[in-house]
Amino acid sequence: MTELTNHRLDTAGFEAERAEILQSWPTGTGVSFAEAVKVQEALPTEKRFPVALAAADAQGMTLLQPRAGVALVREHAALLNGLSPYCDVLPTTIDAYTRHNRYTEAQDGIDRSRAAGTSLLNGFPAVNHGVDGCRRLVDAVSKPVQVRHGTPDARLLAEITLAAGFSSFEGGGISYNIPYAKHVPLERSIRHWQYCDRLVGRFEEEGVSINREPFGPLTGTLVPPFVSHVVAILEGLLALEQGVKCITLGYGQAGNVAQDIAALRSLRRLAHHYFLNAGYADYKLTTVFHQWMGGFPADEAQATAVICLGALVARQARATKIIVKTPHEASGVPTLEANQAGLKATRQMVNMISDQNRVDSPDIQMEIDVIEAEVHAVMREILRLGRGDIARGAVAAFQTGAMDVPFAPARANLGKLTPVRDNHGAIRLFDVGNVPLPADVLAFHRDKIAERALCERREPSFNMVVDDVRAISASKLVGRPA
């Protein structure tokens, strides 16, 4: 692999790599870029993800999207059609074997699912179903479909699904490595995702818009907003360089209402700042809010309350889209009925909040100011480490710990930064690790943690962190001592 840089992949190198990728599994030979363009061009307007996002953004609406995926085409189509009346855009969640490019085992899962008459995979094995199977799926539904997965190397998955008419593709070289993989070098995953973005860029050059969505929540466990924002901005910049023009940046619910609203509002402003300063102007930017990604209460009524809090925040912050959870999150893969229940609860809350004025407060503005100061400090260090190249800078930042994702499994992640909640449930930094934040910001975090410690009559310690990780599943926000 050549040295990683943030430059558009050259045509000859891309085509040579593409030929190799399409030969890596038998279904790859069914991909033709010319035919893929025709398939995308033939999609009716109501099946085009970028159209749905643009319309929602222009009208100030918030789209709902569940998560769903099963092993077989017919059953997955039936699942999506069962969800379609309750949501605005559709998902296809990819199975764990495909996420790790283990297509032989995915095929075994398909075969066993057919024999058992039920899905024995935790998602849809799109690579094994190939262009024809994925095309049948897209044809069987009436709304836009997005690929949602968790794949460090998604090149073949992108080729097959985009050729079949999927019009949105989630993920990125950082967000689908650091939280998901242990041994994958960051340079490799970023480079593989440059390929995915270049493929989308080639569709754009043919007049076909395909949405790209970096994965916002990362580990989903007490992630400080500035951490996920920096990853989102980096992956947005990497995508823009490869010719992507429709980008949705995401954020995962943390729990404190003021901080979550501030995070979503600051994300859009910060992204525009860095995109425009880097010389990119021809793009459409939208946002997505992920309802709580951590542990859920087992009780369905309590779980529904968590879902509704996320819906309230997302609508108040005017997110373009919400990824909706279910009341069965604590018990495993949700049923169709549980997915419908989560969507109905979210819709009710979104509708009620839509009739109300935007909420502003000094607390929200304070959180925006802190997040923006943190993001700017880390981005300055990334640009310094990379000597102006964000791809090199991102790798170096993770090596030094200037970027650090809490609770991530990847060896490429230093793992020193440790978050904790303050007395009102906002995410603060118990241990900043090597992240180069300004002195006044660090003092702010220390003061907020000290305020909680005083209230709880205990010294700040890692026990607070452990208590906070468990809190929402125990029907609280802050992990108070018993």
Side-chain angles (χ1 to χ4, degrees), residues 53-102:
L53 290 167
D57 214 42
Q59 297 166 26
M61 296 172 56
T62 298
L63 305 176
L64 306 192
Q65 182 181 23
R67 302 184 308 160
V70 294
L72 305 179
V73 174
R74 184 174 61 185
E75 287 75 4
H76 185 49
L79 175 60
L80 295 188
N81 282 323
L83 295 171
S84 188
Y86 304 94
C87 65
D88 304 293
V89 289
L90 294 167
T92 288
T93 304
I94 302 299
D95 70 289
Y97 289 130
T98 301
R99 297 179 194 185
H100 293 282
N101 312 109
R102 292 160 59 177

CSV table of all heavy atoms in Angstrom, one decimal, residues 53-102:
chain,number,residue,atom,x,y,z
A,53,LEU,N,-33.5,13.2,2.2
A,53,LEU,CA,-32.7,14.1,3.2
A,53,LEU,C,-32.9,15.6,2.8
A,53,LEU,O,-33.1,16.4,3.7
A,53,LEU,CB,-31.3,13.7,3.2
A,53,LEU,CG,-30.9,12.3,3.8
A,53,LEU,CD1,-29.5,11.9,3.5
A,53,LEU,CD2,-31.1,12.3,5.4
A,54,ALA,N,-32.7,15.9,1.6
A,54,ALA,CA,-32.8,17.3,1.1
A,54,ALA,C,-34.1,17.9,1.4
A,54,ALA,O,-34.3,19.0,1.9
A,54,ALA,CB,-32.4,17.4,-0.3
A,55,ALA,N,-35.2,17.1,1.1
A,55,ALA,CA,-36.5,17.6,1.4
A,55,ALA,C,-36.8,17.8,2.9
A,55,ALA,O,-37.4,18.8,3.2
A,55,ALA,CB,-37.6,16.6,0.8
A,56,ALA,N,-36.3,16.9,3.7
A,56,ALA,CA,-36.5,17.0,5.1
A,56,ALA,C,-35.8,18.2,5.6
A,56,ALA,O,-36.3,19.0,6.5
A,56,ALA,CB,-36.1,15.8,5.8
A,57,ASP,N,-34.6,18.4,5.2
A,57,ASP,CA,-33.8,19.6,5.6
A,57,ASP,C,-34.4,20.9,5.2
A,57,ASP,O,-34.5,21.8,6.0
A,57,ASP,CB,-32.4,19.4,5.1
A,57,ASP,CG,-31.3,20.0,6.0
A,57,ASP,OD1,-31.4,19.7,7.3
A,57,ASP,OD2,-30.4,20.7,5.6
A,58,ALA,N,-34.9,20.9,4.0
A,58,ALA,CA,-35.5,22.2,3.5
A,58,ALA,C,-36.8,22.5,4.2
A,58,ALA,O,-37.1,23.7,4.4
A,58,ALA,CB,-35.8,22.0,2.0
A,59,GLN,N,-37.5,21.5,4.6
A,59,GLN,CA,-38.8,21.7,5.2
A,59,GLN,C,-38.8,21.7,6.8
A,59,GLN,O,-39.8,21.8,7.4
A,59,GLN,CB,-39.8,20.6,4.8
A,59,GLN,CG,-40.1,20.6,3.3
A,59,GLN,CD,-40.8,19.4,2.8
A,59,GLN,OE1,-41.4,18.7,3.6
A,59,GLN,NE2,-40.6,19.0,1.5
A,60,GLY,N,-37.5,21.5,7.3
A,60,GLY,CA,-37.4,21.5,8.8
A,60,GLY,C,-38.0,20.2,9.4
A,60,GLY,O,-38.4,20.3,10.6
A,61,MET,N,-38.0,19.1,8.7
A,61,MET,CA,-38.6,17.9,9.2
A,61,MET,C,-37.5,17.0,9.7
A,61,MET,O,-36.3,17.2,9.4
A,61,MET,CB,-39.4,17.2,8.1
A,61,MET,CG,-40.6,17.9,7.6
A,61,MET,SD,-41.3,17.1,6.1
A,61,MET,CE,-41.6,15.4,6.8
A,62,THR,N,-37.9,16.0,10.5
A,62,THR,CA,-37.0,15.0,11.0
A,62,THR,C,-37.4,13.6,10.6
A,62,THR,O,-38.6,13.2,10.9
A,62,THR,CB,-36.9,15.1,12.6
A,62,THR,OG1,-36.4,16.3,12.9
A,62,THR,CG2,-35.9,14.0,13.1
A,63,LEU,N,-36.6,12.9,9.8
A,63,LEU,CA,-36.9,11.6,9.3
A,63,LEU,C,-36.6,10.5,10.4
A,63,LEU,O,-35.7,10.7,11.2
A,63,LEU,CB,-36.1,11.3,8.1
A,63,LEU,CG,-36.2,12.3,6.9
A,63,LEU,CD1,-35.2,11.9,5.8
A,63,LEU,CD2,-37.6,12.4,6.4
A,64,LEU,N,-37.4,9.5,10.4
A,64,LEU,CA,-37.2,8.3,11.3
A,64,LEU,C,-36.7,7.1,10.5
A,64,LEU,O,-37.1,6.8,9.4
A,64,LEU,CB,-38.5,7.9,12.0
A,64,LEU,CG,-39.3,9.0,12.7
A,64,LEU,CD1,-40.3,8.3,13.6
A,64,LEU,CD2,-38.4,9.9,13.6
A,65,GLN,N,-35.7,6.5,11.1
A,65,GLN,CA,-35.1,5.3,10.5
A,65,GLN,C,-34.8,4.2,11.6
A,65,GLN,O,-34.1,4.5,12.5
A,65,GLN,CB,-33.8,5.6,9.7
A,65,GLN,CG,-33.2,4.4,9.0
A,65,GLN,CD,-31.9,4.8,8.3
A,65,GLN,OE1,-31.2,5.7,8.7
A,65,GLN,NE2,-31.5,4.0,7.3
A,66,PRO,N,-35.3,3.0,11.4
A,66,PRO,CA,-35.0,2.0,12.4
A,66,PRO,C,-33.7,1.3,12.0
A,66,PRO,O,-33.0,1.7,11.0
A,66,PRO,CB,-36.2,1.0,12.2
A,66,PRO,CG,-36.6,1.2,10.8
A,66,PRO,CD,-36.3,2.6,10.4
A,67,ARG,N,-33.4,0.2,12.7
A,67,ARG,CA,-32.3,-0.6,12.4
A,67,ARG,C,-32.8,-2.0,12.2
A,67,ARG,O,-33.6,-2.5,13.1
A,67,ARG,CB,-31.2,-0.6,13.5
A,67,ARG,CG,-30.6,0.7,13.7
A,67,ARG,CD,-29.4,0.7,14.7
A,67,ARG,NE,-29.8,0.0,15.9
A,67,ARG,CZ,-29.0,-0.6,16.8
A,67,ARG,NH1,-27.7,-0.5,16.6
A,67,ARG,NH2,-29.4,-1.2,17.9
A,68,ALA,N,-32.5,-2.7,11.1
A,68,ALA,CA,-33.1,-4.0,10.9
A,68,ALA,C,-32.3,-4.8,9.9
A,68,ALA,O,-31.8,-4.2,8.9
A,68,ALA,CB,-34.5,-3.9,10.4
A,69,GLY,N,-32.2,-6.1,10.0
A,69,GLY,CA,-31.5,-7.0,9.1
A,69,GLY,C,-31.7,-8.4,9.4
A,69,GLY,O,-31.4,-8.8,10.6
A,70,VAL,N,-32.1,-9.3,8.5
A,70,VAL,CA,-32.1,-10.7,8.7
A,70,VAL,C,-31.5,-11.4,7.5
A,70,VAL,O,-31.1,-10.7,6.5
A,70,VAL,CB,-33.6,-11.2,8.9
A,70,VAL,CG1,-34.2,-10.7,10.2
A,70,VAL,CG2,-34.5,-10.8,7.7
A,71,ALA,N,-31.4,-12.7,7.5
A,71,ALA,CA,-30.5,-13.4,6.6
A,71,ALA,C,-30.9,-13.5,5.1
A,71,ALA,O,-30.1,-13.5,4.2
A,71,ALA,CB,-30.2,-14.8,7.2
A,72,LEU,N,-32.2,-13.7,4.9
A,72,LEU,CA,-32.7,-14.0,3.6
A,72,LEU,C,-33.5,-12.9,2.9
A,72,LEU,O,-34.1,-12.1,3.6
A,72,LEU,CB,-33.6,-15.2,3.7
A,72,LEU,CG,-33.0,-16.5,4.4
A,72,LEU,CD1,-34.0,-17.6,4.5
A,72,LEU,CD2,-31.8,-16.9,3.7
A,73,VAL,N,-33.4,-12.8,1.6
A,73,VAL,CA,-33.9,-11.7,0.9
A,73,VAL,C,-35.4,-11.5,1.1
A,73,VAL,O,-35.9,-10.4,1.5
A,73,VAL,CB,-33.7,-11.8,-0.6
A,73,VAL,CG1,-34.3,-10.7,-1.4
A,73,VAL,CG2,-32.2,-11.8,-0.9
A,74,ARG,N,-36.2,-12.6,0.9
A,74,ARG,CA,-37.6,-12.4,1.1
A,74,ARG,C,-38.0,-12.0,2.5
A,74,ARG,O,-38.9,-11.2,2.7
A,74,ARG,CB,-38.3,-13.8,0.7
A,74,ARG,CG,-39.9,-13.7,0.7
A,74,ARG,CD,-40.5,-15.0,0.2
A,74,ARG,NE,-40.1,-16.1,1.0
A,74,ARG,CZ,-40.4,-17.4,0.8
A,74,ARG,NH1,-41.1,-17.7,-0.3
A,74,ARG,NH2,-40.1,-18.4,1.6
A,75,GLU,N,-37.4,-12.6,3.5
A,75,GLU,CA,-37.7,-12.3,4.9
A,75,GLU,C,-37.3,-10.9,5.2
A,75,GLU,O,-38.0,-10.2,6.0
A,75,GLU,CB,-37.1,-13.3,5.8
A,75,GLU,CG,-37.7,-14.7,5.8
A,75,GLU,CD,-37.4,-15.5,4.6
A,75,GLU,OE1,-36.6,-15.1,3.7
A,75,GLU,OE2,-38.0,-16.6,4.4
A,76,HIS,N,-36.2,-10.5,4.7
A,76,HIS,CA,-35.7,-9.1,5.0
A,76,HIS,C,-36.6,-8.1,4.3
A,76,HIS,O,-37.0,-7.1,4.9
A,76,HIS,CB,-34.3,-8.9,4.5
A,76,HIS,CG,-33.7,-7.6,4.9
A,76,HIS,ND1,-33.7,-7.1,6.1
A,76,HIS,CD2,-33.0,-6.6,4.1
A,76,HIS,CE1,-33.2,-5.9,6.1
A,76,HIS,NE2,-32.7,-5.6,4.9
A,77,ALA,N,-37.1,-8.4,3.1
A,77,ALA,CA,-38.0,-7.5,2.4
A,77,ALA,C,-39.3,-7.4,3.2
A,77,ALA,O,-39.9,-6.3,3.4
A,77,ALA,CB,-38.3,-8.0,1.0
A,78,ALA,N,-39.8,-8.5,3.7
A,78,ALA,CA,-41.0,-8.5,4.5
A,78,ALA,C,-40.8,-7.7,5.8
A,78,ALA,O,-41.7,-7.0,6.2
A,78,ALA,CB,-41.4,-10.0,4.9
A,79,LEU,N,-39.6,-7.8,6.4
A,79,LEU,CA,-39.4,-7.0,7.6
A,79,LEU,C,-39.4,-5.5,7.3
A,79,LEU,O,-40.0,-4.7,8.0
A,79,LEU,CB,-38.0,-7.4,8.2
A,79,LEU,CG,-37.5,-6.6,9.4
A,79,LEU,CD1,-38.4,-6.7,10.6
A,79,LEU,CD2,-36.1,-7.1,9.8
A,80,LEU,N,-38.7,-5.1,6.2
A,80,LEU,CA,-38.7,-3.7,5.9
A,80,LEU,C,-40.1,-3.2,5.5
A,80,LEU,O,-40.4,-2.1,5.9
A,80,LEU,CB,-37.7,-3.5,4.7
A,80,LEU,CG,-36.2,-3.8,5.0
A,80,LEU,CD1,-35.4,-3.3,3.8
A,80,LEU,CD2,-35.8,-3.1,6.3
A,81,ASN,N,-40.9,-4.0,4.8
A,81,ASN,CA,-42.2,-3.6,4.5
A,81,ASN,C,-43.1,-3.5,5.7
A,81,ASN,O,-44.1,-2.7,5.8
A,81,ASN,CB,-42.8,-4.5,3.4
A,81,ASN,CG,-42.3,-4.2,2.0
A,81,ASN,OD1,-42.0,-3.1,1.7
A,81,ASN,ND2,-42.0,-5.3,1.3
A,82,GLY,N,-42.8,-4.3,6.7
A,82,GLY,CA,-43.5,-4.2,8.0
A,82,GLY,C,-43.2,-2.9,8.8
A,82,GLY,O,-44.0,-2.4,9.6
A,83,LEU,N,-42.0,-2.4,8.6
A,83,LEU,CA,-41.5,-1.2,9.2
A,83,LEU,C,-41.9,0.1,8.4
A,83,LEU,O,-42.0,1.1,9.0
A,83,LEU,CB,-40.0,-1.2,9.4
A,83,LEU,CG,-39.5,-2.3,10.4
A,83,LEU,CD1,-37.9,-2.4,10.3
A,83,LEU,CD2,-39.9,-2.0,11.8
A,84,SER,N,-42.0,-0.1,7.1
A,84,SER,CA,-42.2,1.1,6.2
A,84,SER,C,-43.3,2.0,6.6
A,84,SER,O,-43.1,3.2,6.5
A,84,SER,CB,-42.4,0.6,4.8
A,84,SER,OG,-42.3,1.6,3.9
A,85,PRO,N,-44.5,1.5,7.1
A,85,PRO,CA,-45.5,2.5,7.4
A,85,PRO,C,-45.2,3.4,8.6
A,85,PRO,O,-45.9,4.4,8.8
A,85,PRO,CB,-46.7,1.6,7.7
A,85,PRO,CG,-46.4,0.3,7.1
A,85,PRO,CD,-45.0,0.2,7.1
A,86,TYR,N,-44.2,3.0,9.4
A,86,TYR,CA,-43.9,3.8,10.6
A,86,TYR,C,-42.6,4.6,10.5
A,86,TYR,O,-42.3,5.3,11.4
A,86,TYR,CB,-43.7,2.8,11.7
A,86,TYR,CG,-44.9,1.9,11.9
A,86,TYR,CD1,-45.0,0.6,11.3
A,86,TYR,CD2,-46.0,2.3,12.7
A,86,TYR,CE1,-46.1,-0.2,11.5
A,86,TYR,CE2,-47.1,1.5,12.9
A,86,TYR,CZ,-47.2,0.2,12.2
A,86,TYR,OH,-48.3,-0.5,12.4
A,87,CYS,N,-41.9,4.5,9.4
A,87,CYS,CA,-40.7,5.3,9.2
A,87,CYS,C,-40.6,6.0,7.9
A,87,CYS,O,-41.5,5.8,7.1
A,87,CYS,CB,-39.5,4.3,9.4
A,87,CYS,SG,-39.3,3.1,8.1
A,88,ASP,N,-39.6,6.7,7.7
A,88,ASP,CA,-39.4,7.5,6.5
A,88,ASP,C,-38.4,7.0,5.5
A,88,ASP,O,-38.5,7.1,4.3
A,88,ASP,CB,-39.1,9.0,6.8
A,88,ASP,CG,-40.1,9.6,7.8
A,88,ASP,OD1,-41.2,9.8,7.4
A,88,ASP,OD2,-39.7,9.8,8.9
A,89,VAL,N,-37.3,6.4,6.0
A,89,VAL,CA,-36.3,5.8,5.2
A,89,VAL,C,-35.9,4.5,5.9
A,89,VAL,O,-36.1,4.3,7.1
A,89,VAL,CB,-35.0,6.7,5.1
A,89,VAL,CG1,-35.3,7.9,4.2
A,89,VAL,CG2,-34.5,7.1,6.5
A,90,LEU,N,-35.4,3.5,5.1
A,90,LEU,CA,-35.2,2.1,5.5
A,90,LEU,C,-33.7,1.8,5.7
A,90,LEU,O,-32.9,2.3,5.0
A,90,LEU,CB,-35.9,1.2,4.5
A,90,LEU,CG,-37.4,1.3,4.4
A,90,LEU,CD1,-37.8,0.5,3.2
A,90,LEU,CD2,-38.0,0.7,5.7
A,91,PRO,N,-33.5,0.8,6.6
A,91,PRO,CA,-32.1,0.4,6.8
A,91,PRO,C,-31.9,-1.0,6.2
A,91,PRO,O,-32.9,-1.7,5.9
A,91,PRO,CB,-32.0,0.3,8.3
A,91,PRO,CG,-33.4,-0.3,8.7
A,91,PRO,CD,-34.4,0.3,7.7
A,92,THR,N,-30.7,-1.4,6.0
A,92,THR,CA,-30.3,-2.8,5.9
A,92,THR,C,-29.1,-3.0,6.7
A,92,THR,O,-28.0,-2.5,6.4
A,92,THR,CB,-30.1,-3.2,4.4
A,92,THR,OG1,-31.3,-3.3,3.8
A,92,THR,CG2,-29.4,-4.6,4.4
A,93,THR,N,-29.3,-3.6,7.9
A,93,THR,CA,-28.1,-3.8,8.8
A,93,THR,C,-27.4,-5.1,8.4
A,93,THR,O,-28.1,-6.2,8.2
A,93,THR,CB,-28.6,-4.0,10.3
A,93,THR,OG1,-29.4,-2.8,10.6
A,93,THR,CG2,-27.5,-4.2,11.2
A,94,ILE,N,-26.1,-5.0,8.2
A,94,ILE,CA,-25.3,-6.2,7.7
A,94,ILE,C,-24.9,-7.1,8.8
A,94,ILE,O,-24.6,-6.6,9.9
A,94,ILE,CB,-24.1,-5.6,6.9
A,94,ILE,CG1,-24.6,-4.7,5.7
A,94,ILE,CG2,-23.3,-6.7,6.3
A,94,ILE,CD1,-25.5,-5.3,4.7
A,95,ASP,N,-24.8,-8.4,8.5
A,95,ASP,CA,-24.5,-9.4,9.5
A,95,ASP,C,-23.0,-9.3,9.9
A,95,ASP,O,-22.1,-8.7,9.2
A,95,ASP,CB,-24.7,-10.8,9.0
A,95,ASP,CG,-23.8,-11.1,7.9
A,95,ASP,OD1,-23.9,-10.6,6.8
A,95,ASP,OD2,-22.9,-12.0,8.1
A,96,ALA,N,-22.7,-9.9,11.0
A,96,ALA,CA,-21.3,-9.8,11.6
A,96,ALA,C,-20.2,-10.5,10.7
A,96,ALA,O,-19.1,-10.0,10.7
A,96,ALA,CB,-21.3,-10.4,13.0
A,97,TYR,N,-20.6,-11.6,10.1
A,97,TYR,CA,-19.6,-12.2,9.2
A,97,TYR,C,-19.2,-11.3,8.1
A,97,TYR,O,-18.0,-11.2,7.8
A,97,TYR,CB,-20.1,-13.6,8.7
A,97,TYR,CG,-20.3,-14.6,9.7
A,97,TYR,CD1,-21.4,-15.4,9.9
A,97,TYR,CD2,-19.2,-15.0,10.6
A,97,TYR,CE1,-21.6,-16.4,10.8
A,97,TYR,CE2,-19.3,-16.0,11.5
A,97,TYR,CZ,-20.5,-16.7,11.7
A,97,TYR,OH,-20.6,-17.6,12.6
A,98,THR,N,-20.2,-10.7,7.4
A,98,THR,CA,-19.9,-9.9,6.3
A,98,THR,C,-19.1,-8.7,6.7
A,98,THR,O,-18.2,-8.2,6.0
A,98,THR,CB,-21.2,-9.4,5.6
A,98,THR,OG1,-21.9,-10.6,5.2
A,98,THR,CG2,-20.9,-8.5,4.4
A,99,ARG,N,-19.3,-8.2,7.9
A,99,ARG,CA,-18.6,-7.0,8.4
A,99,ARG,C,-17.1,-7.3,8.5
A,99,ARG,O,-16.3,-6.4,8.4
A,99,ARG,CB,-19.1,-6.6,9.8
A,99,ARG,CG,-20.6,-6.1,9.8
A,99,ARG,CD,-21.0,-5.8,11.2
A,99,ARG,NE,-22.5,-5.7,11.3
A,99,ARG,CZ,-23.1,-5.3,12.4
A,99,ARG,NH1,-22.4,-5.0,13.5
A,99,ARG,NH2,-24.4,-5.2,12.4
A,100,HIS,N,-16.8,-8.6,8.7
A,100,HIS,CA,-15.4,-9.0,8.8
A,100,HIS,C,-14.9,-9.7,7.6
A,100,HIS,O,-13.9,-10.4,7.6
A,100,HIS,CB,-15.2,-9.8,10.1
A,100,HIS,CG,-15.4,-9.0,11.3
A,100,HIS,ND1,-14.4,-8.1,11.8
A,100,HIS,CD2,-16.4,-8.9,12.2
A,100,HIS,CE1,-14.9,-7.6,12.9
A,100,HIS,NE2,-16.1,-8.0,13.1
A,101,ASN,N,-15.6,-9.6,6.5
A,101,ASN,CA,-15.3,-10.1,5.2
A,101,ASN,C,-15.2,-11.7,5.2
A,101,ASN,O,-14.4,-12.3,4.5
A,101,ASN,CB,-14.0,-9.5,4.7
A,101,ASN,CG,-13.9,-8.0,4.8
A,101,ASN,OD1,-13.2,-7.5,5.6
A,101,ASN,ND2,-14.7,-7.4,3.9
A,102,ARG,N,-15.9,-12.3,6.1
A,102,ARG,CA,-15.9,-13.8,6.2
A,102,ARG,C,-17.1,-14.3,5.5
A,102,ARG,O,-18.1,-14.8,6.1
A,102,ARG,CB,-16.0,-14.1,7.7
A,102,ARG,CG,-14.7,-13.7,8.4
A,102,ARG,CD,-14.8,-13.6,9.9
A,102,ARG,NE,-15.2,-14.8,10.6
A,102,ARG,CZ,-15.3,-15.0,11.9
A,102,ARG,NH1,-15.0,-14.0,12.7
A,102,ARG,NH2,-15.7,-16.1,12.4
